[in-house]
Amino acid sequence: MAILQRIFQFYYQGFKNMTTGKTLWVIILLKLFVMFAILKVFFFPKYLDTHFSTNEEKANHVVNELIQNNKQ
Amino acid sequence: MIDNVDLTLVDWSRAQFALTAIYHWLFVPLTLGIAFIIAVMETIYYRTGNPEWKRTVKFWMKVFGINFAIGVATGIILEFEFGTNWSNYSWFVGDIFGAPLAIEGILAFFMESTFIAVMFFGWDKVSKRFHLISTWLTAIGANLSALWILVANGWMQHPTGMWFNPETARYEMNNFWDVLLSPMAAGKFVHTTSSSFIVASLFVAGISAWFLLKGREVPMAKRSILIAMVFGLLSSVYVALNGDFSAKVTSEYQPMKLAAAEGLYEGTEKAPIMAFGVLTNTDKPLDNSNKFLIKIEAPIPGLLSYLAFGNFDDFVPGIKDLILGNEARGILPATEKMRRGYESQQMLKKLHEIKDKKSEEYKAIYAHFLDKEWLETNFKYFGYGAYYHPDETIAKKNAEQLIPSVPLSFYSFHIMVILGMYFIVLFALIGFVMHKNVLTKQRWLLWIMVWSMPLGYIASESGWILAEVGRQPWVIQDLMPTITAVTKIDATSVQTTFWLFAAIFTALLIAEIRIMVTAIKDGPSNKH
């Protein structure tokens, strides 16, 4: 328990004494929010996961894509 | 297949990936290199106990921290793009990339985040020795993270250690060590990391030169330049040596890339190296027109042959040999590779058309995918099938699609090489001037050091442009072309996210430069 408390204090004091670091953390958190809460959710769904439910369906779709030449 | 593909979509998807990769790579090399420079500086502090070295370490740690914080996670966007814009590719290689990328994630999270915290928060709280170990582990961890990404990239350039599962249409890893230790992966890792050390050395030297020009922090600046000079000189020479190894690997597995990088249209023995040139008529790659407006060859004959094969007399295939074939040299024409690739695709198609997996016909076709000879003669050209056409005239026209952008490959390669040689001269010159103890008086050299900072980035980005453009049209060499890898989604949505990324990354870059400039102008301080 004492070790956990020391680790917590280590990080707590470290973050507390930051100057430039505070600005950087704001940027990091903002960046992660934009990436995961906006870009990933609204712009980057996993195509195969959203269009097919099983691995077999995904495999068949990819095979069709790979052998498109046969359509000619 | 080409007729069925929306090239606008392919081009925008490629442009989007290139944009994000190039921006991401603006942040990475400095992190990889400066971490080692800081570790060396702290080692000197640990050994001497001189508090001036501690102050120096803390200053560069602040710079490292800013770059790390702004750059961290920018690579995740590339993974988003895999799943959305390159879903066929993701499926095709998912089993191969799973292990390296998982190791990368775990390493990045545990090693870097844990030891970076000790680096920044641990002064006077942990022992000097433990702090030093943490700094070294941060540097090693950052570079090991890069290793796994580069292993994945190396596999795409030279697929090995895998087999193709025709039922799932996926490559599956069957030999981890072949993937990890492939010469392509090894070459990529050492070349990329050591070139990143040059970027960091130029950066440290440039900022320190600025301090000297301003007459500020003179002892710290001189110390920093000394470390950067030694690190930069060693790295520059090493990059030249391992670049030679990369060229040999490329000539073996990606001869088209080497030919495009050198603007070598006609294969020849005793092939010369082009010191520099200005290309023309590149839109007609297979005709006999002159391809150079200006052409300056290196004075040593056969240097390209030596670079490629270690022998000044050897034959180096040109773009025409690789497309039209060269029977005397045992090079198949591209149209034949396209036919074999198409046959492999037909085999896969037939397999998936058979419903009864226990039937003899199914087993007979499946057996092909286990037959080493068939795999080696036909299936290795699987990706070429996308360009096949039964009409010979159309097939020949399609074959031209197998040539990467020669101007982009040629100019990026030559910019990288010329700058690489310049860096050796620059670091050697700095070393000589420092040895004479007249560095602060040579203001012209200090200004050159300041203005050389962006050149490291230009060389590094040029190297990546050559690596990625030069291997086109392949996403996975010979097995999957870009036109097959791309997800058939609306091109407009890709355009939208392209501009979105352009805006986000530009904002991040502006933020980095502003915070960095402020921090550098403030100089060393005790807070971070």
Side-chain angles (χ1 to χ4, degrees):
Chain A
M1 207 54 197
I3 290 176
L4 288 176
Q5 205 167 13
R6 279 174 63 192
I7 292 172
F8 173 78
Q9 278 301 321
F10 176 82
Y11 279 92
Y12 178 75
Q13 290 299 328
F15 282 115
K16 202 176 150 188
N17 293 328
M18 283 193 304
T19 50
T20 313
K22 280 182 182 148
T23 312
L24 295 174
W25 271 106
V26 171
I27 291 173
I28 290 173
L29 294 174
L30 199 63
K31 182 170 56 176
L32 291 175
F33 175 77
V34 170
M35 280 182 186
F36 286 98
I38 299 174
L39 291 175
K40 179 68 184 154
V41 174
F42 297 106
F43 294 98
F44 286 94
K46 282 196 169 180
Y47 181 83
L48 293 178
D49 289 350
T50 52
H51 286 74
F52 307 98
S53 47
T54 66
N55 277 349
E56 194 178 350
E57 286 174 3
K58 290 175 190 173
N60 286 334
H61 166 75
V62 174
V63 167
N64 281 332
E65 293 283 304
L66 294 175
I67 59 176
Q68 268 193 42
N69 213 333
N70 301 309
K71 287 177 185 169
Q72 69 197 345
Chain B
M1 174 161 184
I2 293 174
D3 302 336
N4 303 330
V5 174
D6 176 4
L7 286 176
T8 312
L9 167 68
V10 177
D11 291 344
W12 273 104
S13 299
R14 284 185 59 198
Q16 188 196 64
F17 198 87
L19 174 89
T20 41
I22 284 173
Y23 260 116
H24 175 58
W25 195 250
L26 285 175
F27 303 110
V28 179
L30 183 60
T31 296
L32 297 184
I34 204 169
F36 275 117
I37 292 177
I38 292 168
V40 170
M41 289 172 170
E42 193 176 335
T43 305
I44 298 173
Y45 164 63
Y46 177 79
R47 286 177 172 265
T48 62
N50 180 348
E52 280 302 308
W53 275 106
K54 183 178 179 181
R55 202 163 157 269
T56 305
V57 170
K58 280 192 160 185
F59 172 71
W60 292 113
M61 263 178 53
K62 183 165 66 174
V63 171
F64 166 85
I66 293 166
N67 186 63
F68 185 85
I70 305 281
V72 73
T74 50
I76 288 174
I77 286 178
L78 298 170
E79 290 188 33
F80 292 173
E81 290 170 20
F82 283 146
T84 303
N85 301 345
W86 305 97
S87 60
N88 298 332
Y89 158 82
S90 292
W91 179 262
F92 206 53
V93 302
D95 185 75
I96 304 281
F97 283 15
L101 296 184
I103 296 171
E104 190 270 340
I106 291 165
L107 265 177
F109 184 77
F110 286 106
M111 279 193 80
E112 288 179 41
S113 54
T114 305
F115 294 114
I116 281 177
V118 177
M119 260 177 85
F120 282 93
F121 302 157
W123 292 110
D124 307 321
K125 288 180 184 162
V126 298
S127 69
K128 271 171 77 177
R129 186 185 174 83
F130 184 65
H131 194 277
L132 177 66
I133 291 169
S134 299
T135 305
W136 275 103
L137 286 176
T138 298
I140 293 166
N143 282 268
L144 280 181
S145 287
L147 168 71
W148 299 105
I149 300 293
L150 295 167
V151 163
N153 185 276
W155 185 87
M156 290 158 70
Q157 317 254 356
H158 169 49
T160 183
M162 81 296 185
W163 85 289
F164 180 70
N165 183 336
E167 284 186 335
T168 58
R170 292 189 107 161
Y171 272 100
E172 293 175 3
M173 193 188 299
N174 61 10
N175 191 328
F176 174 77
W177 299 107
D178 275 0
V179 176
L180 176 62
L181 302 174
S182 107
M184 188 65 84
K188 283 230 157 290
F189 176 66
V190 293
H191 198 61
T192 307
T193 49
S194 51
S195 63
S196 298
F197 300 165
I198 301 175
V199 173
S201 301
L202 288 166
F203 189 90
V204 170
I207 299 296
S208 304
W210 179 82
F211 275 119
L212 291 182
L213 285 163
K214 293 283 172 191
R216 290 178 52 193
E217 303 292 343
V218 173
M220 184 198 82
K222 280 185 172 177
R223 275 194 297 273
S224 300
I225 291 174
L226 177 66
I227 303 290
M229 181 272 295
V230 174
F231 195 57
L233 185 59
L234 291 174
S235 302
S236 308
V237 173
Y238 184 55
V239 162
L241 295 174
N242 64 46
D244 175 73
F245 174 74
S246 289
K248 286 180 173 55
V249 173
T250 303
S251 66
E252 187 173 353
Y253 301 115
Q254 297 177 308
M256 180 61 88
K257 184 192 280 184
L258 187 75
E262 269 297 297
L264 186 72
Y265 284 85
E266 307 272 358
T268 177
E269 292 175 350
K270 296 185 175 65
I273 272 195
M274 200 70 65
F276 199 71
V278 177
L279 290 158
T280 185
N281 294 324
T282 51
D283 54 334
K284 300 168 215 157
L286 301 179
D287 70 4
N288 292 323
S289 60
N290 182 24
K291 297 293 187 287
F292 283 95
L293 275 177
I294 299 168
K295 192 170 165 177
I296 306 165
E297 287 179 6
I300 306 166
L303 202 55
L304 182 60
S305 295
Y306 182 80
L307 188 77
F309 300 107
N311 188 330
F312 287 98
D313 296 327
D314 275 5
F315 175 82
V316 181
I319 291 168
K320 282 191 193 177
D321 301 279
L322 295 164
I323 295 299
L324 302 175
N326 185 330
E327 203 175 342
R329 304 284 175 182
I331 301 169
L332 284 178
T335 48
E336 173 59 18
K337 293 178 183 175
M338 286 150 58
R339 191 190 62 74
R340 294 186 189 191
Y342 179 68
E343 278 184 12
S344 308
Q345 292 188 350
Q346 291 281 25
M347 204 64 84
L348 185 65
K349 184 188 176 193
K350 277 184 204 163
L351 189 83
H352 277 263
E353 281 170 354
I354 301 168
K355 301 292 174 201
D356 181 7
K357 293 187 177 179
K358 289 176 181 165
S359 70
E360 289 304 314
E361 190 187 3
Y362 186 91
K363 286 178 188 167
I365 294 175
Y366 193 95
H368 279 88
F369 292 91
L370 302 172
D371 176 3
K372 278 187 181 170
E373 195 183 333
W374 182 79
L375 292 172
E376 197 49 40
T377 52
N378 282 48
F379 194 79
K380 71 183 279 194
Y381 302 116
F382 184 84
Y384 285 85
Y387 297 89
Y388 173 78
H389 199 283
D391 183 319
E392 188 73 7
T393 313
I394 297 174
K396 279 183 178 168
K397 195 169 177 297
N398 284 353
E400 290 189 24
Q401 301 293 319
L402 298 169
I403 304 169
S405 165
V406 178
L408 256 182
S409 306
F410 178 85
Y411 292 121
S412 57
F413 176 59
H414 284 82
I415 287 170
M416 177 186 73
V417 172
I418 290 167
L419 286 175
M421 290 188 294
Y422 163 73
F423 298 147
I424 295 176
V425 174
L426 177 65
F427 286 121
L429 184 62
I430 296 168
F432 176 75
V433 172
M434 289 192 92
H435 177 67
K436 294 283 176 192
N437 207 16
V438 290
L439 180 65
T440 45
K441 291 175 190 161
Q442 311 300 323
R443 293 181 69 82
W444 59 273
L445 181 59
L446 295 175
W447 278 116
I448 286 176
M449 287 158 69
V450 171
W451 289 109
S452 291
M453 276 192 286
L455 299 182
Y457 288 94
I458 291 170
S460 193
E461 296 282 8
S462 296
W464 271 114
I465 290 170
L466 170 66
E468 301 305 298
V469 173
R471 70 166 149 134
Q472 289 303 315
W474 304 112
V475 182
I476 306 165
Q477 187 69 35
D478 296 346
L479 297 172
M480 179 176 255
T482 320
I483 53 172
T484 305
V486 77
T487 313
K488 309 299 182 295
I489 54 176
D490 184 8
T492 318
S493 70
V494 185
Q495 287 175 32
T496 307
T497 46
F498 174 92
W499 293 114
L500 204 58
F501 285 153
I504 291 170
F505 275 105
T506 305
L508 282 174
L509 189 62
I510 292 170
E512 157 134 4
I513 292 170
R514 288 187 65 170
I515 297 170
M516 190 82 90
V517 167
T518 307
I520 290 166
K521 280 183 176 170
D522 284 352
S525 68
N526 293 324
K527 295 223 166 182
H528 44 262

